[in-house]
Amino acid sequence: MASPGLSYVPNHTNSPWQMYLLQVDRVAPHLGHLERWVETLKRCKRVLAVDIPINRDDGTVAHFEGFRAQHNLSRGPGKGGVRFHPDVTIDEVMALAGWMTVKNAALNLPYGGAKGGIRVDPKTLTRPELERLTRRYTSEIGLIIGPDKDIPAPDVNTNDQIMAWMMDTYSMNTGATATGVVTGKPIALGGSLGRKEATGRGVYIAARETARAMGFDITGARIVVQGFGNVGGIAAKLFKAAGAVVVGLQDASGSVANEGGIDVDAALDFVAGGGALVDFKGVSKITEGEFWALKSDIFVPAALENQLTETRARAISTKLVVEGANGPTTPAADDILHDRGIKVVPDVIANAGGVTVSYFEWVQDFSSFFWSEAEINDRLERIMVEALKAVVHTAEKHNVSLRTAAFIIACTRVLAARELRGLYP
Ligand code: NAD
């Protein structure tokens, strides 16, 4: 049973924070003498909740709730995305920040873990309203973010334009252009080549390497992807480019399939042009149940947390799950997949391509010296392949899942830093 964590966090089943705590509990027995520090991982260092009032275009005032959680800063400044979604809660933001601590340490990036969000459906706002919301949120969390304190990035429903507004607001408030305060910016503002594609590319690399180790090739492999946004869309595109057959896709509009393979590039263009995925020609609309039962070699959940539930883990027909989303698999579903012999490459490794290239962007901003896309993709490839190898090695050594192995590597690094720094005062 997971420890209760902070008292103001709801203790309901499948709360992301409870999921995260359970995952920490699973790693604790493997931490040796560092286990005495494990309580550190079960708390957020700092959580800021802010009120965000904005003027609507119709002259009324609307209030939104926003958060920024800094889970652990033992190894460096906080790093993690900002999500605009109607389901954002303090519980979710804390869990996502905890997973960022683990992810950054698993990849050995010199960062702690943080995450932010606003409880809003951005589709209900006009562009000027969205800009005012972003700027006021940035101003409110300006107390705790900064290039050497905590560096936000895009997540669900946020993009390079939102990052540009965040960077400008922070710069206006501090009186100097601070490109390093956010990553995932437009290239013209110190963004990095390859950043937009990095998370999807990392998912693809993790899938390709694990498939190879399991004895099958990406070429000709059947792929199903849930979520057709930045992560799922790019991953699907790269799978197809590598000769895999994308047989099923799902986004918020519904599920679609094509046994012969979906034309992913055309589907991406269609969705980018404002179309709903379910209206895309050349696919058949299928039900939610049919989607989860589609036969595949690799399944990529790349939408939101808590999608791969116990029921779906029993229904899913695949060899390998590669987690593009953060926290898509519940701990109970994890156990079912394990019992069914379905391998899971966990989020903290599989979707770490984004934060890795965010790190490259931050380094480039500090040095004001920019790398070529080939250089970036090459370094990303090497870091991802090495991190994955270390996780596989640790999993074999401790006879644990890839998730627990990634947690062992990451939590050992975080808690060793904690111990070396000691407690203040
Ligand atoms: P996005 O907003 O670009 O895309 C999200 C996709 O999920 C959309 O296609 C949307 O329609 C779909 N979706 C939303 N609700 C759904 C539902 N209930 N069922 C099915 N599909 C649904 O977001 P993104 O940046 O691609 O992020 C997706 C996931 O990847 C999130 O968990 C995010 O935290 C994680 N992630 C993102 C990045 C990044 O760099 N963007 C990095 C690491 C992890």
Side-chain angles (χ1 to χ4, degrees):
M1 189 55 200
S3 75
L6 294 173
S7 57
Y8 54 84
V9 176
N11 190 4
H12 59 81
T13 320
N14 289 346
S15 106
W17 179 246
Q18 291 299 319
M19 253 172 80
Y20 163 79
L21 290 178
L22 268 170
Q23 292 166 352
V24 172
D25 280 346
R26 286 181 177 188
V27 78
H30 301 281
L31 294 176
H33 79 283
L34 291 171
E35 191 180 349
R36 65 187 282 258
W37 292 101
V38 83
E39 197 60 27
T40 303
L41 298 169
K42 294 186 177 181
R43 285 150 201 284
C44 277
K45 176 182 175 63
R46 190 178 284 138
V47 185
L48 183 61
V50 296
D51 171 41
I52 312 160
I54 62 159
N55 287 311
R56 300 293 302 250
D57 291 352
D58 64 7
T60 60
V61 174
H63 289 257
F64 298 90
E65 256 184 304
F67 308 101
R68 185 75 187 169
Q70 294 174 343
H71 174 260
N72 188 286
L73 305 181
S74 293
R75 302 178 68 254
K79 186 92 192 78
V82 171
R83 176 176 294 195
F84 289 180
H85 195 280
D87 296 340
V88 163
T89 59
I90 199 163
D91 175 292
E92 181 188 62
V93 170
M94 286 170 59
L96 291 164
W99 284 319
M100 286 311 299
T101 297
V102 176
K103 190 183 306 181
N104 292 332
L107 272 285
N108 214 3
L109 306 178
Y111 292 131
K115 199 83 180 194
I118 304 179
R119 200 172 164 81
V120 61
D121 180 357
K123 286 193 288 294
T124 62
L125 301 181
T126 64
R127 188 180 156 95
E129 288 170 344
L130 187 63
E131 178 173 352
R132 290 197 285 275
L133 180 83
T134 304
R135 287 185 180 279
R136 182 62 187 252
Y137 169 69
T138 309
S139 230
E140 294 294 341
I141 64 163
L143 293 167
I144 61 167
I145 63 168
D148 54 1
K149 285 172 148 181
D150 179 3
I151 307 113
D155 192 70
V156 175
N157 290 331
T158 54
N159 56 20
D160 56 351
Q161 177 60 72
I162 305 267
M163 294 305 116
W165 290 329
M166 289 188 76
M167 186 278 255
D168 183 68
T169 305
Y170 180 84
S171 299
M172 287 296 143
N173 286 344
T174 54
T177 294
T179 53
V181 66
V182 289
T183 57
K185 297 179 296 292
I187 304 293
L189 293 177
S192 177
L193 294 167
R195 172 60 185 92
K196 210 177 240 175
E197 300 79 17
T199 309
R201 182 175 294 279
V203 168
Y204 163 72
I205 295 170
R208 186 197 62 204
E209 292 299 305
T210 313
R212 193 177 288 157
M214 289 170 70
F216 69 96
D217 205 84
I218 280 291
T219 312
R222 291 167 61 91
I223 315 282
V224 174
V225 183
Q226 186 206 26
F228 198 53
N230 176 271
V231 180
I234 302 285
K237 186 184 163 98
L238 292 174
F239 280 121
K240 176 155 188 296
V245 189
V246 178
V247 293
L249 288 172
Q250 185 191 66
D251 75 357
S253 74
S255 312
V256 298
N258 183 338
E259 269 300 300
I262 298 169
D263 184 344
V264 176
D265 296 271
L268 280 171
D269 286 346
F270 182 74
V271 171
L277 180 64
V278 284
D279 296 331
F280 177 60
K281 298 226 167 7
V283 292
S284 340
K285 202 173 163 189
I286 55 172
T287 65
E288 178 87 25
E290 287 166 337
F291 174 78
W292 286 96
L294 277 175
K295 194 168 157 34
S296 66
D297 296 301
I298 303 174
F299 185 98
V300 179
L304 295 170
E305 54 269 18
N306 273 327
Q307 294 301 303
L308 230 170
T309 56
E310 284 171 75
T311 315
R312 289 169 177 174
R314 282 192 200 96
I316 202 167
S317 171
T318 195
K319 296 176 186 158
L320 172 63
V321 172
V322 182
E323 296 184 334
N326 286 307
T329 311
T330 67
D334 235 355
D335 293 341
I336 293 167
L337 294 174
H338 181 263
D339 291 346
R340 293 188 57 208
I342 298 170
K343 221 181 218 348
V344 178
V345 185
D347 46 9
V348 291
I349 294 293
N351 70 30
V355 71
T356 302
V357 176
S358 273
Y359 166 57
F360 298 162
E361 178 175 335
W362 184 72
V363 168
Q364 291 171 83
D365 286 340
F366 268 123
S367 57
S368 299
F369 180 76
F370 293 88
W371 313 345
S372 71
E373 190 160 1
E375 217 169 339
I376 283 156
N377 289 344
D378 183 49
R379 285 178 199 250
L380 171 65
E381 168 100 20
R382 267 187 288 139
I383 290 180
M384 289 288 302
V385 169
E386 270 170 34
L388 202 57
K389 260 195 207 146
V391 169
V392 170
H393 175 74
T394 304
E396 283 166 3
K397 189 170 146 198
H398 292 264
N399 192 23
V400 293
S401 67
L402 295 180
R403 187 185 317 280
T404 300
F407 269 67
I408 291 174
I409 293 171
C411 297
T412 300
R413 284 183 180 142
V414 174
L415 298 182
R418 164 81 284 172
E419 185 169 72
L420 281 167
R421 286 178 66 158
L423 283 182
Y424 173 86

